Amino acid sequence: EAAVTQSPRNKVTVTGGNVTLSCRQTNSHNYMYWYRQDTGHGLRLIHYSYGAGNLQIGDVPDGYKATRTTQEDFFLLLELASPSQTSLYFCASSPTGGARGTQYFGPGTRLLVL
Amino acid sequence: GDSVTQTEGQVTVSESKSLIINCTYSATSIGYPNLFWYVRYPGEGLQLLLKVITAGQKGSSRGFEATYNKEATSFHLQKASVQESDSAVYYCALSDRVNTGNYKYVFGAGTRLKVIA
């Protein structure tokens, strides 16, 4: 069973603050993803990666940076947090990026920007 | 672009009663998308409940089932008799080819199921 962990689980920051969300997967999956979910919306893809050092832009990348430092670790950076980034963030991994691939999700990080 | 619509934000069902959670989709690729249901229990991440990759087929898991209806572009989730332990948020999703070798996942907004005794 693929294991994906996220930290912190909850975070409060102020407008303009600097936030890093961490994700680690322990099943050697190539693909990793960052999503955000807001009430009334489906999960929206922020950034994704298909290997260490690789970064691909998702559908809602503005205001976010990401880095994939190793096969296991994928970070999401908010360098100047804004209230519009208050959301529930999910990290996911999958063995391939193909259409039939199952995604394995972490438990989520709830971020509040005051 | 592709989209997935779940019309109900929350559904409340009495234990042992039947359930249907609606999902319709729109896909832009020439072929047919793959369809998924994910479930999120409190405090946990989303996990795959079932998937169907062939139009006209039915997927099933843990008493839940969903049929890939390409004519109606629907993938409704059903269960004949729900239990309190089924209380969770259910997400419909599709994956579709965007170009050669690249695929994209699209999720619905989720439907919160509350099962009451």
Side-chain angles (χ1 to χ4, degrees):
Chain A
E1 184 79 23
V4 181
T5 56
Q6 294 182 234
S7 63
R9 295 293 307 276
N10 294 280
K11 177 72 176 179
V12 181
T13 190
V14 296
T15 299
N18 196 321
V19 176
T20 298
L21 306 184
S22 301
C23 177
R24 166 165 282 204
Q25 56 97 3
T26 59
N27 223 38
S28 300
H29 287 170
N30 291 323
Y31 283 75
M32 295 185 75
Y33 310 82
W34 276 107
Y35 293 93
R36 61 177 288 173
Q37 187 186 18
D38 306 292
T39 303
H41 292 274
L43 278 71
R44 292 183 288 177
L45 183 64
I46 304 171
H47 290 297
Y48 66 103
S49 165
Y50 52 74
N54 176 265
L55 180 65
Q56 302 294 317
I57 295 172
D59 300 322
V60 290
D62 292 347
Y64 301 95
K65 293 183 179 179
T67 62
R68 179 88 177 268
T69 55
T70 65
Q71 180 81 347
E72 296 78 19
D73 298 304
F74 195 30
F75 300 93
L76 186 68
L77 296 80
L78 292 72
E79 294 183 331
L80 287 171
S82 72
S84 64
Q85 294 177 306
T86 292
S87 189
L88 178 59
Y89 291 86
F90 288 106
C91 176
S93 71
S94 67
T96 71
R100 301 179 184 184
T102 297
Q103 296 199 1
Y104 296 84
F105 285 83
T109 294
R110 197 169 291 278
L111 175 65
L112 173 61
V113 184
L114 301 173
Chain B
D2 294 358
S3 65
V4 175
T5 301
Q6 294 178 243
T7 52
E8 306 101 346
Q10 178 161 320
V11 174
T12 301
V13 180
S14 297
E15 197 169 26
S16 80
K17 299 298 185 184
S18 64
L19 166 74
I20 182 166
I21 297 178
N22 294 308
C23 173
T24 57
Y25 67 89
S26 173
T28 55
S29 69
I30 295 174
Y32 296 109
N34 300 304
L35 301 178
F36 305 79
W37 277 102
Y38 283 80
V39 57
R40 180 165 68 95
Y41 297 102
E44 300 181 13
L46 286 76
Q47 56 184 272
L48 181 68
L49 179 60
L50 57 87
K51 70 178 179 183
V52 180
I53 62 173
T54 304
Q57 297 296 307
K58 180 168 69 177
S60 60
S61 174
R62 309 181 211 174
F64 290 89
E65 58 182 35
T67 299
Y68 188 155
N69 186 330
K70 65 181 177 64
E71 289 80 17
T73 62
S74 69
F75 191 55
H76 305 318
L77 183 68
Q78 300 183 72
K79 190 174 187 184
S81 176
V82 298
Q83 304 168 346
E84 280 195 79
S85 58
D86 293 326
S87 295
V89 182
Y90 292 82
Y91 297 87
C92 185
L94 67 81
S95 67
D96 197 11
R97 192 175 79 171
V98 293
N99 54 48
T100 302
N102 290 307
Y103 299 86
K104 180 177 180 178
Y105 253 81
V106 178
F107 288 86
T111 297
R112 183 177 299 276
L113 170 64
K114 182 177 180 181
V115 179
I116 56 176

